[in-house]
Amino acid sequence: MRGNWRRTDEATFMLLAKSCHDLDWLTYMIGQRVTRVSSFGGLKHFTAANRPDAAADRCLDCTLVSSCPYAAQRIYLPYVGGAESWPLNVLTSDPTEEGVLHALREGPYGRCVYACDNDVVDHQVVNLEFEGGATASFTMTAFSPKAPRKTRIFGTRGSIDGDGALLTVTDFVTGATEVIDAHVPKDGHSGGDEGLITAFLDAVGGADPAAIRSNPKESLHSHEIAWAAEEARLTGTVVTIPSKEQP
């Protein structure tokens, strides 16, 4: 609503800007291409029509801080003095309390969420059908606690629930449940940033292309899914993605 991804014309639509990784993840897990996509959602809450009567243009000037879940000072000030640079480094190069308050006073992230120029969706669901008949659904929503992405996989003999750190595996036959700690690093997108760079350096320095586990065609496909989902959302249709053999 406030920042870098708030407008389609200045960035891109929300699904491609912030959720193409999720679509890529689902495709990786299932191991097949997506063939058909439907999608629903829109910008429903963060609009001027839902702005409280007493709300100020800036959170620092607002009298509704105690009752508003989107008050900028509540969201960002707790990170002052913390070990991680994000999210304060998005607001300012000065992560002190004074620097953050100045950013909230003068910058885009201190604006009332109901008084911005945003036009991207604040919630969206995407339904996917894969080659071979598997299906998946993805939900993107602004209305959640601060939490990692969650994945639920349903098989014929068991299920897996994951949150990026712990996996809960349930056996449908025995009813037994096993919890597996993936020991995921806490920094750099759970170690993903370092892993990508290391793989690239290994591939180039060691002349070993196998170190990079995905190729440009796979990356393009996750974008194809996002484009198809946005077309489906805007047109109210089910969009078919051509197979890789088709022109």
Side-chain angles (χ1 to χ4, degrees), residues 135-168:
T135 59
S137 62
F138 169 65
T139 298
M140 188 287 298
T141 178
F143 314 106
S144 72
K146 183 178 181 295
R149 289 166 164 87
K150 295 179 173 63
T151 304
R152 304 190 73 189
I153 300 172
F154 302 94
T156 57
R157 295 180 63 85
S159 64
I160 303 174
D161 284 53
D163 63 0
L166 298 177
L167 299 174
T168 302

Side-chain angles (χ1 to χ4, degrees), residues 166-189:
L166 298 177
L167 299 174
T168 302
V169 182
T170 301
D171 187 312
F172 292 165
V173 176
T174 65
T177 298
E178 179 184 7
V179 178
I180 301 170
D181 189 339
H183 301 289
V184 176
K186 295 185 180 300
D187 59 338
H189 291 98

Side-chain angles (χ1 to χ4, degrees), residues 19 37 42 48 50-51 58 68 74 79 93 104 109 129 142 149 170 189 192 204 220:
S19 295
V37 182
N50 291 315
R51 180 177 178 174
R58 290 270 169 183
C68 179
R74 173 186 292 112
Y79 289 97
S93 58
L104 296 182
Y109 284 89
E129 183 178 69
R149 289 166 164 87
T170 301
H189 291 98
V204 175
L220 174 61

Side-chain angles (χ1 to χ4, degrees), residues 33 131 242-247:
R33 285 176 57 86
E131 293 177 346
S243 68
K244 58 184 176 181
E245 286 78 19
Q246 293 179 263

Side-chain angles (χ1 to χ4, degrees), residues 215-232:
N215 58 51
K217 289 183 179 180
E218 292 173 325
S219 298
L220 174 61
H221 186 50
S222 66
H223 286 62
E224 289 178 321
I225 299 168
W227 292 322
E230 186 67 356
E231 179 184 348

